[in-house]
Amino acid sequence: MRTRTLALAAASGAALLTVAALPATANTAHRAAGSGTRGTQEGSVSAADLLAKVKSCSQISNGKYKTDSETSATIPVCGKNGAVFWKADMDVDCDGQVTSKCNADTDPWFQDDTAFHQSNGKPLNAEKLPYVVVPSTSSIWNYSSAGIKGGGVVAVIYNNKVEYAVVGDTGPNKIIGEASYATAQALGIDPDPETGGAESGVTYILFKNSKVSPIESHSAAVSLGDSLAKKFLQDN
C-alpha cells in the first residue's frame, strides 16, 4: 500500500472513468480473468439494500482514520451483526505480482509483495484480483481481533455497484480506503495507481470470520459474498 498526496488525490476527480450501465444479472456477471469488463452487479443483493443497512455507525475503532497522509482523521470503523464497515475514498493498490499494469514504472509506490499470498505462495495479482487493503494493527483498531482475516470477503460499493473482493493486503496503521487495481476497474473507477481512484463515496463491508479458498478465486469470493450479503440483510 502507498499513500498519495492531496494533489494526486485531487487529480483523480478529473480522471474518473464513466462506464455504460449494463443489465444486472444475478450470479452471472462474473468478470473474465484479466478482461476488466462485467455487468454492474455481482451476486443477487443490490447496492441499495446493503447501503440501507449501513446508514448509521456504531463505532468499534478506538479512534478514526485518515484517507490520505495529509487529511484529517475522520473515518471510523463501524460494527454490525456479522460485519464491520467504513465509508471512505479509494486509493489504488498495485502491489503484488509484476504485471503490465502494476509495476515500478506504472506505480511510484509499487511493492512486489502483499500481506496475504495465493495458494501457491505467490503474492496476489492486483491487476486481476479484486482485493481490499486493511490498516495494519494499531491502537486505533485491530482487524484480526474484529474477526477479519486475510482472504475474508468484502462487499465494495460505489455508484450503486457491488463488487466482491477479498482482504488481500495491509497498509499504514493510520490510513484507510484502498483497494486493488482490479477492484477499481470493476467499479468504473480510474484504476491508474498514480492518478486514479475515487475521492469519496466508497463503502467497504467486511464479513467477519469469512475466508475465500483459494484466496485468488474471484468466483469463489462472489459466491460466498452473495451468501454472506443475504445473511447480513437478514441479521441487521
Side-chain angles (χ1 to χ4, degrees):
M1 177 177 181
R2 82 288 178 280
T3 305
R4 294 185 301 176
T5 64
L6 286 180
L8 287 176
S12 70
L16 291 179
L17 299 179
T18 57
V19 176
L22 299 174
T25 304
N27 295 317
T28 61
H30 296 174
R31 184 174 57 258
S35 71
T37 59
R38 65 165 180 79
T40 59
Q41 178 70 31
E42 284 194 329
S44 60
V45 178
S46 71
D49 285 345
L50 288 171
L51 291 175
K53 299 296 184 178
V54 295
K55 286 183 177 180
S56 61
C57 174
S58 176
Q59 183 172 330
I60 61 170
S61 56
N62 294 320
K64 296 181 180 181
Y65 289 95
K66 300 179 177 182
T67 56
D68 290 290
S69 60
E70 298 175 22
T71 61
S72 300
T74 59
I75 310 298
V77 176
C78 311
K80 281 285 188 177
N81 289 330
V84 303
F85 73 92
W86 55 81
K87 299 178 181 182
D89 66 342
M90 182 185 287
D91 290 342
V92 178
D93 189 355
C94 244
D95 292 345
Q97 295 181 35
V98 175
T99 68
S100 62
K101 301 294 186 182
C102 293
N103 56 67
D105 292 328
T106 62
D107 182 1
W109 306 273
F110 180 75
Q111 299 178 40
D112 62 359
D113 200 6
T114 49
F116 306 106
H117 292 167
Q118 294 182 166
S119 55
N120 62 3
K122 291 183 178 181
L124 302 181
N125 185 328
E127 182 181 337
K128 293 185 177 181
L129 181 69
Y131 71 73
V132 165
V133 180
V134 296
S136 296
T137 296
S138 71
S139 59
I140 300 176
W141 184 56
N142 183 330
Y143 68 87
S144 181
S145 296
I148 304 304
K149 306 175 181 180
V153 183
V154 187
V156 188
I157 306 166
Y158 179 76
N159 197 22
N160 294 317
K161 301 175 186 177
V162 179
E163 174 73 8
Y164 288 105
V166 293
V167 175
D169 204 0
T170 58
N173 59 17
K174 294 182 180 180
I175 296 175
I176 206 165
E178 186 169 11
S180 68
Y181 183 105
T183 311
Q185 186 177 52
L187 289 169
I189 295 171
D190 181 356
D192 188 296
E194 185 171 6
T195 61
E199 291 187 47
S200 62
V202 185
T203 300
Y204 304 80
I205 302 174
L206 292 74
F207 298 108
K208 295 179 181 179
N209 300 311
S210 62
K211 190 168 184 178
V212 174
S213 183
I215 190 173
E216 65 268 23
S217 173
H218 181 57
S219 61
V222 175
S223 178
L224 180 57
D226 190 54
S227 175
L228 292 172
K230 291 176 182 176
K231 189 174 189 306
F232 178 73
L233 296 185
Q234 293 173 353
D235 294 345
N236 289 278

